[in-house]
């Protein structure tokens, strides 16, 4: 009947059998346009105790008009029992994300008023904070209006601002702190907003070997973007702590003296593999550190395999002939990266296409799919993806020149 085009799958959404309801939703997904008659059935089905049914409904959200997305989305976000389900929180998020990106306070209040999925709360505030300067006041109003979302909301804001050295505080920050009731991310954001008391608290957390390791690492990252007194001295001491080695190496990248490079190399063998790779990424960015690294390689204390072709190209960009002579003696000739006329023309074309207006009207879902297909195998974003290229989470990823260069 469906193949003949005469079936009405929306009539099956009230069937008592789960498999029939799921199949009906799959058939609806194949339709180019859903009739208004299907919406009440979808809203009712979104009440279902069956996570399979609700996952199928979530996959339909992009096909609905905005008003219907809100009606169905309100029902889907209210199933807090599925917060720990492997697929459900993200599936619902992909469905409602375009609504969040609109920045409409009425829609956001409707969704947050019903939302009881912890991860979804974090993702909503993270998405808003990605346009932090634009949405600062909106974020504050939502946090103060929904204090039960405060822990996940502040976590999402902190995620979005990771790698930012300084930001203007959220309006009403003192009121938010009062309602946050000791939420873990208050001090992290307070330091970002220039609160000296928060910096002192973060230092105590980082310096406490009995504190939660994740909290210590977050504290170091926050301190790294600040002007905390004698920070380099503390980082050089903390890098010997196995819990903090990797994050301290990242933080020390802001300094350029030889002492820092030597300390990173001395600690390298005791780091986890992922931290070792990140530290090599850092060491090849400065000629003085690269010389120390080559000393280790030439003395056979490190094996040549720790450097990838990407690292060798980075070394060639330093513009030191004596350095590249040493590199060539170990790996052979390395072809430098050449910015040809064609490359420059392509960059100019992309800059002209990536206007504020075109980005405002961009298809975010298609962009996410393209990123996953073409970029995620090399780059990490919010803890997911490959580790060949730079981590984009805390970078200037909103700046087209950064991405092109």
């Amino acid at each position: 009947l469906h193949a003949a085009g005469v079936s009405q799958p929306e009539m099956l959404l009230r069937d008592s059998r789960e498999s029939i309801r799921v199949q009906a939703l799959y058939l609806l997904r194949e339709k180019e346009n859903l009739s208004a008659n299907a919406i009440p059935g979808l809203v009712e089905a979104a009440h279902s105790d069956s996570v399979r049914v609700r996952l199928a409904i979530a996959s339909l959200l992009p096909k609905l008009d905005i008003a219907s997305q809100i009606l169905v989305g309100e029902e889907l976000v209210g199933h807090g029992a599925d917060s720990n389900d492997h697929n459900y929180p993200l599936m619902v998020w992909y469905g409602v994300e375009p609504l969040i990106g609109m920045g409409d306070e009425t829609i956001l209040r409707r969704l947050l008023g019903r939302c009881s999925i912890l991860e979804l709360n974090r993702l909503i505030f993270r998405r808003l904070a990605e346009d932090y300067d634009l949405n600062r006041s909106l974020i504050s109003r939502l946090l103060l209006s929904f204090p039960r979302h405060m822990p996940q909301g502040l976590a999402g804001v902190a995620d979005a601002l990771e790698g930012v050295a300084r930001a203007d505080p959220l309006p009403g920050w003192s009121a938010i702190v009062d309602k946050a009731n000791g939420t873990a991310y208050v001090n992290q954001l307070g330091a970002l907003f220039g609160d000296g008391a928060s910096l002192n608290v973060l230092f105590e957390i980082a310096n406490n070997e009995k504190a939660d390791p994740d909290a210590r690492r977050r504290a170091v990252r926050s301190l790294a973007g600040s002007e905390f007194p004698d920070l380099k001295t503390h980082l050089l001491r903390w890098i010997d702590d196995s819990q903090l080695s990797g994050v301290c190496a990242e933080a020390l990248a802001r300094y350029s003296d030889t002492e820092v490079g030597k300390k990173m190399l001395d600690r390298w063998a005791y780091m986890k593999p992922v931290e070792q790779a990140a530290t090599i990424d850092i060491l090849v960015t400065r000629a003085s550190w690269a010389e120390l690294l080559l000393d280790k390689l030439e003395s056979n204390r490190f094996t040549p395999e720790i450097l990838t072709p990407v690292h060798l190209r980075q070394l060639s960009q330093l513009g030191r002939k004596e350095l590249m002579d040493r590199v060539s003696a170990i790996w052979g000739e390395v072809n430098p990266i050449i910015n040809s006329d064609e490359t420059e023309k392509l960059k100019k074309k992309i800059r002209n296409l990536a206007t504020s207006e075109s980005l405002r009207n961009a298809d975010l879902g298609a962009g996410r799919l393209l990123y996953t297909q073409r970029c995620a195998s090399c780059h990490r974003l919010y803890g997911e993806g490959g580790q060949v290229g730079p981590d984009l989470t805390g970078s200037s990823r909103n700046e087209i020149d950064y991405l092109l260069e």
Side-chain angles (χ1 to χ4, degrees):
L1 287 174
H2 180 69
V6 296
S7 69
Q8 292 183 305
E10 57 266 27
M11 301 298 292
L12 299 173
L13 294 177
R14 293 182 175 87
D15 195 279
S16 60
R17 292 162 292 182
E18 178 188 67
S19 58
I20 296 296
R21 283 177 286 155
V22 171
Q23 189 60 45
L25 290 162
Y26 289 159
L27 294 178
L28 283 173
R29 195 167 60 194
E30 293 178 12
K31 287 193 171 186
E32 189 164 335
N33 295 302
L34 292 179
S35 70
N37 295 332
I39 305 306
L42 289 175
V43 174
E44 184 177 336
H47 280 293
S48 171
D49 291 334
S50 166
V51 69
R52 286 185 61 208
V53 169
R54 286 184 277 110
L55 280 169
I57 293 173
S59 71
L60 272 170
L61 283 176
K63 297 182 69 70
L64 306 180
D65 59 73
I66 291 176
S68 299
Q69 284 181 351
I70 297 169
L71 287 171
V72 178
E74 279 183 298
E75 301 300 329
L76 292 176
V77 302
H79 292 272
D82 293 320
S83 285
N84 295 321
D85 184 87
H86 182 68
N87 298 309
Y88 189 73
L90 286 178
M91 196 69 179
V92 175
W93 168 243
Y94 294 143
V96 302
E97 183 188 15
L99 296 175
I100 309 304
M102 292 169 61
D104 186 297
E105 187 165 352
T106 301
I107 295 174
L108 289 163
R109 286 181 177 278
R110 289 180 65 174
L111 292 174
L112 287 170
R114 297 288 299 277
C115 189
S116 55
I117 301 172
L118 301 181
E119 177 67 2
L120 197 54
N121 288 326
R122 184 183 70 83
L123 292 170
I124 288 172
F125 281 95
R126 187 186 80 182
R127 174 64 184 85
L128 292 173
E130 286 179 356
D131 296 316
Y132 182 74
D133 291 335
L134 177 66
N135 292 327
R136 274 196 318 131
S137 296
L138 174 59
I139 292 168
S140 290
R141 291 195 298 273
L142 294 174
L143 286 171
L144 292 170
S145 297
F146 300 98
R148 65 189 176 94
H149 296 330
M150 193 77 73
Q152 290 75 35
L154 291 177
V157 175
D159 284 348
L161 296 180
E162 184 176 340
V164 175
R166 185 60 60 88
D168 292 330
L170 289 167
W173 175 243
S174 58
I176 291 172
V177 172
D178 289 341
K179 286 194 174 186
N181 196 25
T183 297
Y185 292 90
V186 166
N187 289 312
Q188 181 177 336
L189 289 171
L192 184 65
F193 300 152
D195 181 358
S198 293
L199 287 173
N200 290 331
V201 172
L202 289 171
F203 174 79
E204 293 301 326
I205 294 172
N207 206 40
N208 183 1
E209 295 180 0
K210 295 182 179 179
D212 175 69
D214 286 336
R216 295 184 72 198
R217 285 188 282 270
R218 286 198 303 269
V220 172
R221 287 193 179 97
S222 296
L223 289 168
S226 73
E227 299 300 326
F228 192 80
D230 295 323
L231 180 59
K232 187 178 81 167
T233 302
H234 298 303
L235 291 171
L236 289 171
R237 175 168 56 85
W238 288 336
I239 198 172
D240 290 327
D241 186 322
S242 60
Q243 294 180 353
L244 303 179
S245 292
V247 71
C248 283
E250 294 173 14
L252 285 166
R254 65 187 289 193
Y255 304 100
S256 59
D257 48 292
T258 304
E259 177 193 13
V260 170
K262 185 176 184 305
K263 187 66 175 180
M264 285 193 280
L265 281 168
D266 289 344
R267 186 62 195 169
W268 188 85
Y270 303 98
M271 294 180 181
K272 299 173 184 176
V274 66
E275 295 172 342
Q276 290 180 333
T279 302
I280 296 297
D281 291 345
I282 295 167
L283 289 167
V284 297
T285 62
R286 300 188 187 279
S288 60
W289 296 350
E291 289 174 356
L292 294 173
L293 178 59
L294 289 172
D295 289 342
K296 297 277 188 182
L297 288 161
E298 290 169 346
S299 63
N300 295 320
R301 296 183 64 182
F302 287 2
T303 61
E305 289 77 14
I306 66 171
L307 292 190
T308 68
V310 174
H311 293 138
L312 299 181
R313 287 290 183 91
Q314 175 64 45
L315 290 172
S316 73
Q317 292 294 94
L318 296 176
R320 299 290 185 89
K321 182 180 182 304
E322 66 278 11
L323 201 62
M324 291 313 298
D325 287 343
R326 296 174 67 184
V327 169
S328 298
I330 302 173
W331 286 277
E333 198 68 29
V334 177
N335 295 323
I337 300 173
I338 300 175
N339 289 320
S340 65
D341 291 341
E342 289 300 317
T343 301
E344 292 304 318
K345 288 179 182 177
L346 181 58
K347 287 180 181 180
K348 184 177 180 180
K349 178 181 177 181
I350 293 172
R351 287 190 183 97
N352 291 335
L353 289 172
T355 63
S356 299
E357 183 178 355
S358 67
L359 293 175
R360 255 195 320 272
N361 298 319
D363 185 336
L364 299 181
R368 184 194 308 111
L369 179 61
L370 182 63
Y371 173 84
T372 302
Q373 293 173 338
R374 301 291 182 86
C375 311
S377 59
C378 293
H379 296 279
R380 291 179 74 76
L381 186 63
Y382 298 121
E384 298 178 0
Q387 300 197 46
V388 177
D391 188 326
L392 301 179
T393 306
S395 67
S396 303
R397 61 183 182 280
N398 292 328
E399 298 178 11
I400 190 64
D401 287 334
Y402 172 85
L403 295 174
L404 290 175
E405 298 300 331

